[in-house]
RNA sequence: GUGGGUGUAGCUCAGUUGGUUAGAGCGCCGGAUUGUGGUUCCGGAGGUCGGCGGUUCAAUUCCGCUCAUCCACCCCA
């Protein structure tokens, strides 16, 4: 493979028109869906102070950031996610804003990691957030946007589904299983890994890291493998701590069912999500075949705004990346065929007619039409070929005869039909 | 960051058990067709066989390193 002296940085993409078409297709669906729910679009700078990320995720995340010291000696980083920026932006102005705040954004995000399928060093992510509303209906609304954004791209419940959990419920269930409060973070980490490691390994870790005995660990694993809320309700529903903690998820699922999105939702307490700032219901969208990484992930983060120095406001949101989504659309044959599209191609028979051709082209363009013509001197046959390649729907031929008669010869490129059109009628 | 697979034309891939000028299809450019596209036919351009080094009379082929890419791990925004 011939490599130019300036190769593309690993994990970064070029978007030639064919690639850009898919990107636009995805962005259009994201924007239209978000707006249908009343969300407003915003953006922030791609470069932020490093501390914004260290603050909420801890020092260790720095290893995955594109960070450097700028010329003003400020430690800065390319944004790896949007939520901290959102929290910062709102921190400055949320006090004066009507609640709930419904905002969305499509930022390009960066992370310095080894790339793999569905995971690059740069991607675009739809971020949808509701700030200032603690009701579970905000949680339901947000996940509904995520589901509908995918439906807008032609995906159905046969292609993907949401797995939802609630960290508060998970905490009390683990407590009921016998996990000591101080061991909860460790237990969360084991639960997060449940699907990616064999059961006996999880069992071992629950004992070693979460402090459970063999029976308790088995009981907990049975509970998580059962999915759904039934097993938890049956076993712990009567308890004062677990019983009430089941309510939010029940209401959440009921709301989504009322929207007609019940087929898309499955309760699965094994969904934890890595980020430390989530405080309540969390969810991830996966392809049904389980071939790809999570398409989307989010949840409630009621303390983040305060943490970043803003007004204490409850919040819920998600991020949906364009990379995994693009893979899924490709796999399901849902990428629209790329085709060039032009309203008119003007064929100039000889150079004497070029001024008339330019005049017509300009008039048509002012009317909003997409118009092109050969920029060099070429045979009519060549120009026809070019018109075909550029996807022209109609060709306007202008030669000495046409000029003499004050018309152009129009050819419909689909039917091949030709007719004269008076120049004034264009 | 760790381990493994892969790397031949713009794209998808043949091929070379180490031996003169490395091939196909698609795409691109030109011609048949100097006032009419799609089809067809003919022709052409395009490759330091990812890079560097080693072994050899000879390396695209074997070896080492490196880079890129893919998979698993790690991590997950």
């Amino acid at each position: 493979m011939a490599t130019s002296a300036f190769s593309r940085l690993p994990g970064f993409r070029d978007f030639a028109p064919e690639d850009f078409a898919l990107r636009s297709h995805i962005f259009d669906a994201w924007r239209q869906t978000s707006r249908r729910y009343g969300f407003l679009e915003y953006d922030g700078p791609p470069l932020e102070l490093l501390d914004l990320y260290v603050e909420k995720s801890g020092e260790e995340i720095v290893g995955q950031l594109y960070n450097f010291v700028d010329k003003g000696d400020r430690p800065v980083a390319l944004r790896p996610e949007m939520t901290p920026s959102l929290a910062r932006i709102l921190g400055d102005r949320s006090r004066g804003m009507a609640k709930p705040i419904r905002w969305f954004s499509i930022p390009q995000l960066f992370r310095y990691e080894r790339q793999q399928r569905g995971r690059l060093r740069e991607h675009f992510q739809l971020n949808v957030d509701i700030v200032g509303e603690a009701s579970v209906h905000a949680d339901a609304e947000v996940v509904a946007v995520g589901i509908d954004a995918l439906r807008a791209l032609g995906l159905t419940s046969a292609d993907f589904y949401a797995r939802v959990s609630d960290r508060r419920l998970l905490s009390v269930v683990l407590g009921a299983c016998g996990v000591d409060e101080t061991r909860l973070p460790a237990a969360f980490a084991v639960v997060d890994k449940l699907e990616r490691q064999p059961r006996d390994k999880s069992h071992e870790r629950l004992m070693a890291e979460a402090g459970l005995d063999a029976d308790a660990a088995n009981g907990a694993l049975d509970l998580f493998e059962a999915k759904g809320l039934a097993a938890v309700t049956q076993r712990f529903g009567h308890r004062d701590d677990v019983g009430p903690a089941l309510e939010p998820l029940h209401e959440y699922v009921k709301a989504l069912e009322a929207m007609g999105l019940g087929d898309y939702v499955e309760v699965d307490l094994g969904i934890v999500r890595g980020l430390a700032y989530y405080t309540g219901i969390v969810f991830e969208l996966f392809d049904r075949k389980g071939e790809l990484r999570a398409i989307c992930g989010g949840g409630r983060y009621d303390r983040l705004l305060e943490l970043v120095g803003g007004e204490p406001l409850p919040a819920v949101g998600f991020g949906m990346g364009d990379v995994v989504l693009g893979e899924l659309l490709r796999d399901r044959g849902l990428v629209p065929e790329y085709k060039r599209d032009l309203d008119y191609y003007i064929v100039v028979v000889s150079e004497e007619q070029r001024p008339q051709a330019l005049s017509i082209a300009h008039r048509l363009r002012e009317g909003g039409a997409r118009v092109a013509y050969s920029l060099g001197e070429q045979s009519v046959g060549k120009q026809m070929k070019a018109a075909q390649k550029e996807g022209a729907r109609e060709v306007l031929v202008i030669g000495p005869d046409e000029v003499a008669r004050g018309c152009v010869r129009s050819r419909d490129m689909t039917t091949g039909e030709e007719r004269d059109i008076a120049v004034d009628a264009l």
Side-chain angles (χ1 to χ4, degrees):
Chain A
M1 197 74 56
T3 48
S4 99
F6 302 104
S7 56
R8 200 176 56 228
L9 249 21
F12 285 80
R13 297 170 288 174
D14 293 325
F15 291 90
E18 297 91 310
D19 311 304
F20 199 88
L22 173 58
R23 173 169 146 185
S24 295
H25 179 62
I26 291 171
F27 283 20
D28 288 349
W30 282 353
R31 283 210 169 88
Q32 283 164 18
T33 305
S34 302
R35 287 179 182 150
R36 285 212 306 268
Y37 280 76
F39 285 74
L40 304 174
E41 188 164 6
Y42 73 99
D43 199 359
L47 197 64
E48 293 270 15
L49 284 174
L50 177 62
D51 277 351
L52 182 61
Y53 307 110
V54 175
E55 193 65 34
K56 60 100 199 142
S57 308
E59 200 75 49
E60 65 277 11
I61 204 168
V62 176
Q64 289 160 21
L65 290 175
Y66 270 97
N67 65 301
F68 57 95
V69 176
D70 76 4
K71 292 181 179 179
D73 284 330
R74 286 173 286 260
V76 295
L78 286 171
R79 59 188 175 194
E81 58 166 329
M82 196 56 176
T83 311
S85 293
L86 173 65
R88 181 185 58 68
I89 294 166
L90 289 177
D92 288 346
R93 68 192 77 198
S94 68
R95 279 177 213 283
M97 294 172 61
K99 315 295 185 310
I101 296 158
R102 281 185 285 239
W103 280 15
F104 79 97
S105 187
I106 305 180
Q108 188 173 25
L109 306 177
F110 308 86
R111 56 194 173 190
Y112 196 90
E113 275 190 307
R114 192 130 162 196
Q115 69 159 314
Q116 274 180 45
R117 186 184 190 205
R119 190 167 111 183
L120 306 172
R121 287 181 172 179
E122 145 279 312
H123 71 143
F124 291 92
Q125 193 183 68
L126 169 65
N127 271 252
V128 169
D129 293 271
I130 295 180
V131 175
E133 179 54 68
S135 161
V136 71
H137 288 289
D139 294 77
E141 187 82 344
V142 157
V143 76
V145 175
I147 292 169
D148 275 342
L150 297 186
R151 292 175 69 216
L153 289 162
L155 295 163
T156 69
S157 59
D159 300 308
F160 77 95
Y161 68 117
R163 296 161 75 185
V164 305
S165 179
D166 186 331
R167 285 196 171 188
R168 292 160 301 190
L169 176 62
L170 182 59
S171 296
V172 294
V173 166
L174 286 169
C177 286
V179 176
D180 189 78
E181 201 167 331
T182 58
R183 304 266 204 151
L184 274 177
F188 269 43
V190 178
V191 171
D192 191 31
K193 278 262 182 296
L194 244 34
E195 275 193 348
R196 282 160 287 169
Q197 64 189 17
R199 177 172 167 133
D200 52 334
K201 179 81 190 287
S202 299
H203 186 260
E204 194 179 299
R205 288 185 61 192
L206 278 177
M207 291 196 291
E209 294 163 37
L212 294 181
D213 62 40
D215 284 349
N218 267 323
L221 288 172
D222 290 343
L223 214 48
F224 290 115
E225 277 169 15
K227 317 264 161 148
L229 285 179
V232 177
T233 307
Q234 195 188 349
R235 189 154 154 213
F236 293 129
H238 61 280
R239 289 174 55 122
D240 290 348
D241 51 357
V242 177
L246 284 162
E247 278 315 303
L249 267 186
H250 269 134
E251 260 193 80
Y252 180 83
V253 171
K254 247 170 35 193
L256 288 162
E257 281 168 353
M259 293 179 199
L261 300 178
D263 289 349
Y264 291 89
V265 183
E266 287 179 19
V267 171
D268 182 345
L269 292 185
I271 295 298
V272 176
R273 298 201 46 74
L275 277 179
Y277 56 66
Y278 288 112
T279 55
I281 289 177
V282 290
F283 73 92
E284 293 188 343
L285 265 40
F286 284 94
D287 69 292
R288 286 275 184 194
K289 292 186 182 170
E291 291 169 342
L292 304 169
R293 296 162 191 284
I295 304 159
C296 170
R300 183 163 279 283
Y301 52 97
D302 283 347
R303 282 192 285 276
L304 184 62
L305 271 76
E306 193 176 7
L307 207 80
V308 176
E311 188 183 3
L313 285 174
V316 55
F318 71 77
M320 177 186 292
D322 71 318
V323 180
V324 176
L325 179 51
E327 307 266 2
L328 181 59
L329 292 176
R330 238 183 280 276
D331 288 356
R332 298 292 182 277
L334 291 171
V335 176
E337 191 195 348
Y338 175 76
K339 56 180 194 305
R340 302 186 65 172
D341 200 7
L342 216 51
D343 293 311
Y344 298 101
Y345 193 97
I346 301 179
V347 168
V348 188
V349 174
S350 67
E351 284 303 301
E352 285 75 57
Q353 291 86 47
R354 190 170 286 273
Q356 287 90 335
L358 293 176
S359 163
I360 290 167
H362 194 70
R363 194 132 39 88
L364 290 169
R365 285 167 175 164
E366 288 199 324
R370 289 161 297 181
V371 185
Y373 45 81
S374 172
L375 298 172
E377 198 173 347
Q378 281 187 313
S379 72
V380 171
K382 268 266 180 288
Q383 294 182 67
M384 289 300 294
K385 254 181 209 170
Q388 211 270 321
K389 274 183 188 155
E390 296 200 35
R393 297 172 184 188
E394 190 172 339
V395 165
L396 303 179
V397 179
I398 178 157
D401 301 350
E402 285 80 8
V403 169
R405 287 184 289 131
C407 68
V408 295
R409 188 73 179 160
S410 153
R411 180 182 177 89
D412 184 308
M413 293 298 272
T414 314
T415 63
E417 270 172 46
E418 289 200 12
R419 68 202 166 99
D420 285 339
I421 301 176
V423 170
D424 298 338
L426 282 168

